[in-house]
Amino acid sequence: MKLTILGCYSATPKVSTHTTSQVLEMNNHMFLIDCGEGTQVELRRHKIKFNRIKHIFISHLHGDHFFGLVGLISTFRLLTRETDLHIYGPTGIKEVITLQMKLADSWTNYKLIFHELSSESSELIFEDELVEVHTIPLHHRVYTNGYLFKEKEGDRKLDIGAVLDANIDQVYYNKLKQGFDVINEDGKSIDNALVTTKANAVKSYAFCSDTLYKEDIVPIIKYADVLYHESTFLDKHAHLAPRTKHSTAKQAAKIAKLAHVKTLILGHYSSRYDNLEDFKTEAKTVFENVELAEDGKTFTF
Amino acid sequence: MKLTILGCYSATPKVSTHTTSQVLEMNNHMFLIDCGEGTQVELRRHKIKFNRIKHIFISHLHGDHFFGLVGLISTFRLLTRETDLHIYGPTGIKEVITLQMKLADSWTNYKLIFHELSSESSELIFEDELVEVHTIPLHHRVYTNGYLFKEKEGDRKLDIGAVLDANIDQVYYNKLKQGFDVINEDGKSIDNALVTTKANAVKSYAFCSDTLYKEDIVPIIKYADVLYHESTFLDKHAHLAPRTKHSTAKQAAKIAKLAHVKTLILGHYSSRYDNLEDFKTEAKTVFENVELAEDGKTFTF
C-alpha cells in the first residue's frame, strides 16, 4: 500500500503548496482521492500514469477538494483516453461537470460514470476481488464523506515443499489456497493447515477530510492501518474549529487513539502556520505514531 | 501599457507550461484576460495584487481559457475581498460559476457582476474616462470573442512655462487641458496651441484567441499597437487548423499585416512543438515585427 500526497493544504493553492489530492495504490488499483485545482499538474510532476486512474473519490464540493476535477477529465479526453472513469462524490457533481462539458461542446470519448452519494450512513460503494471501499460520513459545512479503502483477505499461500511431499495433484492447488482440506493421490485427506500458510495481512486506509471532530466515525475506521485525518488548526485556534467545522491536530489524534489505528497522518493545514512540526508535537501528546503529510511525500505501508 | 503573459500554451497545463491567461495594465487598470487552470497561482508568482483586478475577460468556455476562473473567484472570497468584480464572457459563464458556489454553499461577499456576451458583431462592453473595451468576434469551435483594449485620447499637456508667461489664472488650466482657448488676466484670448502640447499617444491592444484565420476581424483591430494572435500550429500542420478552428503562425502574421498593427505577439502554441523560434521564423516571412509570448514574459509598450 503506497500513498502519494499531491497536496495537503487547505483553502487555496499557492506557488509552493497545493490543495487536497492524493493517490492511493492498493492491490494494483490506483485511487485518486480529492482533486484540488492543479492536481493534473501534480500527477504529471510525480509521473503517475493517467490511465492507471480508474476511480476518483471526491469528499465534498468545496473548491480546494474538487476544482481540479473538470480539468483532469478534460485532459483525459484530449489524450484520447478510452478507459472508463468512475467518479464518486456528493450529489451535484455530475451536473457541474456535465454543464462544463456542454458549454465547451467537449464530450469525453471514454465512459464517465458518476456515482452520486447522499447517504448519511456508511455505504459500500466499490468492491472487486481485491479491494472494497466504504464511505465515512463526516460532519462539515456541506455534505462530506471520507473513504475507507480495505484490502480483501487474499488466498492462503502454498508451502510448496509440503504440498509436493503430501503428493497432492495440481488441480487441488486452488482449493488449498481457498483454505479447504483436499484428498491426495493416495486417497488420503490432507489438513489444509499442514501445507499452506496464512494469507498476507490485509491493509486498510481511512481518509477523513474535511470534518469537525466526530466520534461517530470511530467504529467505521477501527483498526485501520493508516488514518489520514484533517488537522486544519493547532490548539491555540481550537475555537475556530467548530465555527468552520474543521479539526485540530489533537482532535485528529484523539480519533486515531479511539479507533486504535496504527498510524495517523495529519494534513489539510491552514496556511496561517509556518511550522508543521507543531502539528506533530501537539498530536503526539495524545497518540504516538503520527506522521505529517507534505506535498510530494510518499508513504509506503 | 504593460502585458504580462501568465500562460500561453494550448490544451492542458503541464509542470512548466501554463494555459492561457494574461494581465494587461493600461491607464491604471489591470485587466485579466482568460483564466486557465492555475491562473491564481501564476498571479501570486508574479506578485500581481488580486485587488487591482476588477475586470476579467473570458474569450470562450474551453477549459484552457477558463477552468481557473472559479478558483480565483473563490480565493478572492476567502481573502475577504470587498471590491466589485466584473466578468465578461459567453452566455453560460454565470450559470457554471453560480452552480459551483451553490454546491459549495460559498457565496462571495463582494459583488460579482456578470456581463454575458452573445452578439456576433463587435460591441463596446466597457468604457470609462480612460479606456474602452470592444469585443472582437472570432471563429472557433464554440462562441468566442477576442477583446480590443483602447486608451482614450487623454488631456493635452500644459507647457507650464508658456502658461505662466501668458499670465493665465489657474482656474483655466483644466479648460486648457481640454483644448479650449482661454482669457488671460489681462483680458486677452490665448490660443490653446501656444500654451499646450499634444496628449500622449493612445495605445491599443487586441487579444485574439482562439480562432480560425478570419479576415473579418481586420477592420476592428486596424492600427492596433499590439496584436496577440493565436498561432497553435506551424505551417507543416496547416491542414489541422481548419479542422480544429485554430490558426498557424503565418496566418496570424497575415492578419497583423492586413491590420497594419505595430507588433504581433504569437501564442497558444500546441505542445507538439519543442522550438518556439520556428513560430517566429515562419511569421516573419509575412510580417516583420513579431514577438513570441512565453510564460512569465512581460512586454512594455
Side-chain angles (χ1 to χ4, degrees):
Chain A
M1 185 166 82
K2 183 177 159 192
L3 179 71
T4 303
I5 307 292
L6 302 176
C8 63
Y9 288 82
S10 66
T12 70
K14 295 189 176 169
V15 174
S16 56
T17 59
H18 306 98
T19 50
T20 303
S21 187
Q22 41 186 258
V23 175
L24 177 71
E25 288 181 64
M26 178 180 266
N27 270 340
N28 217 28
H29 280 291
M30 196 163 238
F31 298 122
L32 183 67
I33 308 167
D34 277 349
C35 193
E37 184 175 351
T39 292
Q40 61 173 307
V41 174
E42 297 316 298
L43 286 168
R44 285 186 193 269
R45 196 189 308 277
H46 296 286
K47 305 200 188 318
I48 290 166
K49 290 218 165 46
F50 286 172
N51 257 324
R52 287 202 56 204
I53 298 171
K54 291 169 189 161
H55 304 269
I56 301 178
F57 299 85
I58 301 294
S59 61
H60 65 299
L61 300 183
H62 280 161
D64 55 334
H65 295 255
F66 106 108
F67 280 167
L69 180 61
V70 66
L72 188 63
I73 289 171
S74 162
T75 291
F76 285 170
R77 178 184 59 80
L78 289 165
L79 298 174
T80 65
R81 177 188 177 107
E82 292 180 352
T83 318
D84 293 357
L85 181 65
H86 293 264
I87 294 175
Y88 303 79
T91 298
I93 197 166
K94 181 176 178 178
E95 183 186 2
V96 70
I97 297 296
T98 50
L99 173 61
Q100 288 176 92
M101 294 197 293
K102 190 184 89 178
L103 289 171
D105 194 19
S106 300
W107 302 93
T108 60
N109 291 316
Y110 61 93
K111 224 167 141 185
L112 196 56
I113 302 129
F114 289 93
H115 304 265
E116 294 200 307
L117 307 172
S118 57
S119 173
E120 301 290 342
S121 312
S122 179
E123 297 179 290
L124 174 67
I125 54 170
F126 172 76
E127 182 176 27
D128 67 6
E129 309 82 54
L130 299 171
V131 171
E132 54 187 53
V133 185
H134 300 256
T135 57
I136 308 167
L138 299 177
H139 186 178
H140 191 44
R141 299 196 302 278
V142 291
Y143 177 77
T144 304
N145 283 296
Y147 294 102
L148 175 68
F149 301 85
K150 280 166 75 172
E151 289 179 347
K152 282 191 178 174
E153 185 84 48
D155 286 343
R156 292 184 67 82
K157 291 178 172 177
L158 298 185
D159 175 348
I160 200 67
V163 169
L164 292 174
D165 285 350
N167 199 22
I168 300 168
D169 191 280
Q170 280 202 355
V171 297
Y172 292 110
Y173 286 5
N174 269 338
K175 281 269 175 207
L176 286 175
K177 288 181 186 168
Q178 289 160 27
F180 295 103
D181 296 343
V182 298
I183 307 292
N184 75 353
E185 296 280 26
D186 313 318
K188 196 179 138 196
S189 174
I190 305 293
D191 182 0
N192 186 288
L194 297 175
V195 293
T196 66
T197 56
K198 254 179 65 176
N200 285 334
V202 296
K203 296 251 168 72
S204 60
Y205 173 67
F207 169 88
C208 296
S209 185
D210 296 353
T211 189
L212 198 64
Y213 175 79
K214 192 188 183 203
E215 288 186 7
D216 307 10
I217 68 174
V218 169
I220 306 169
I221 64 173
K222 207 148 197 171
Y223 306 119
D225 290 271
V226 184
L227 166 65
Y228 176 95
H229 194 291
E230 73 127 292
S231 59
T232 306
F233 299 113
L234 291 175
D235 215 27
K236 62 183 167 190
H237 295 115
H239 59 286
L240 296 178
R243 193 186 308 166
T244 58
K245 298 209 166 63
H246 284 299
S247 305
T248 65
K250 264 193 195 167
Q251 289 173 333
K254 206 169 160 196
I255 295 290
K257 189 179 179 182
L258 289 171
H260 300 282
V261 305
K262 289 202 187 107
T263 302
L264 168 66
I265 302 177
L266 298 176
H268 201 267
Y269 315 112
S270 161
S271 63
R272 77 191 67 208
Y273 306 112
D274 291 328
N275 183 10
L276 296 188
E277 285 300 321
D278 293 343
F279 286 87
K280 195 167 181 174
T281 307
E282 289 196 1
K284 270 181 168 278
T285 63
V286 178
F287 182 81
E288 182 50 31
N289 197 12
V290 180
E291 299 280 348
L292 291 174
E294 281 174 52
D295 292 3
K297 201 167 176 177
T298 293
F299 297 92
T300 307
F301 298 98
Chain B
M1 185 167 82
K2 184 176 158 191
L3 180 71
T4 303
I5 308 293
L6 301 176
C8 62
Y9 288 81
S10 66
T12 71
K14 296 189 175 169
V15 174
S16 56
T17 59
H18 306 99
T19 50
T20 302
S21 187
Q22 41 186 257
V23 175
L24 178 70
E25 288 180 64
M26 178 180 266
N27 271 339
N28 218 26
H29 279 290
M30 197 161 236
F31 297 122
L32 183 68
I33 307 167
D34 278 349
C35 193
E37 184 175 349
T39 292
Q40 60 174 307
V41 174
E42 296 317 298
L43 286 168
R44 285 186 192 270
R45 196 189 308 277
H46 296 286
K47 304 200 188 318
I48 290 166
K49 290 219 164 44
F50 285 172
N51 258 323
R52 287 201 56 203
I53 298 171
K54 292 169 188 160
H55 303 270
I56 301 178
F57 299 86
I58 301 293
S59 62
H60 64 299
L61 299 182
H62 280 161
D64 55 333
H65 295 255
F66 105 109
F67 280 167
L69 180 61
V70 66
L72 188 62
I73 289 170
S74 162
T75 291
F76 285 171
R77 179 183 58 78
L78 289 164
L79 298 174
T80 65
R81 177 189 177 106
E82 292 180 351
T83 318
D84 293 358
L85 182 65
H86 292 264
I87 295 176
Y88 304 79
T91 298
I93 196 166
K94 181 177 178 177
E95 183 186 0
V96 70
I97 297 297
T98 51
L99 173 61
Q100 288 176 92
M101 294 198 291
K102 191 185 88 179
L103 289 170
D105 194 18
S106 300
W107 302 94
T108 60
N109 290 316
Y110 61 92
K111 224 167 141 185
L112 197 56
I113 303 129
F114 289 94
H115 304 265
E116 294 201 307
L117 306 172
S118 57
S119 172
E120 300 290 343
S121 312
S122 178
E123 296 178 290
L124 174 68
I125 55 170
F126 172 76
E127 183 177 26
D128 66 5
E129 310 81 54
L130 300 171
V131 171
E132 53 186 56
V133 184
H134 300 255
T135 58
I136 308 167
L138 300 176
H139 187 176
H140 192 44
R141 299 197 301 279
V142 291
Y143 177 76
T144 304
N145 284 295
Y147 295 101
L148 176 67
F149 301 84
K150 280 167 74 172
E151 290 178 343
K152 282 192 178 173
E153 185 84 47
D155 286 341
R156 292 184 66 82
K157 291 180 172 175
L158 298 186
D159 176 345
I160 199 68
V163 169
L164 291 173
D165 286 350
N167 198 20
I168 300 168
D169 192 278
Q170 279 202 359
V171 296
Y172 292 110
Y173 286 6
N174 269 336
K175 281 268 172 207
L176 287 175
K177 287 180 186 170
Q178 289 161 27
F180 294 103
D181 297 343
V182 297
I183 306 294
N184 76 352
E185 297 279 23
D186 313 318
K188 198 179 139 196
S189 173
I190 305 293
D191 182 0
N192 186 287
L194 298 176
V195 292
T196 67
T197 55
K198 254 180 66 175
N200 284 335
V202 296
K203 297 250 169 72
S204 60
Y205 173 68
F207 170 88
C208 296
S209 186
D210 296 349
T211 188
L212 199 65
Y213 175 79
K214 192 189 183 202
E215 289 186 8
D216 308 7
I217 68 173
V218 169
I220 305 168
I221 64 172
K222 206 146 197 173
Y223 306 120
D225 290 271
V226 184
L227 166 64
Y228 176 97
H229 195 290
E230 74 126 295
S231 59
T232 307
F233 299 113
L234 290 175
D235 214 27
K236 63 183 167 190
H237 295 113
H239 60 286
L240 296 178
R243 193 188 307 166
T244 58
K245 298 210 166 59
H246 284 298
S247 306
T248 65
K250 264 192 195 168
Q251 289 172 333
K254 205 168 162 198
I255 295 290
K257 189 179 180 183
L258 290 171
H260 300 281
V261 304
K262 290 202 186 105
T263 302
L264 168 65
I265 301 176
L266 298 176
H268 200 266
Y269 316 111
S270 161
S271 63
R272 79 191 64 209
Y273 306 112
D274 290 328
N275 183 10
L276 295 188
E277 285 300 322
D278 293 343
F279 286 88
K280 195 167 181 174
T281 307
E282 289 196 1
K284 269 181 169 280
T285 63
V286 177
F287 181 81
E288 181 51 30
N289 197 12
V290 180
E291 299 280 349
L292 291 175
E294 281 175 52
D295 293 2
K297 201 167 177 178
T298 294
F299 298 92
T300 306
F301 299 99

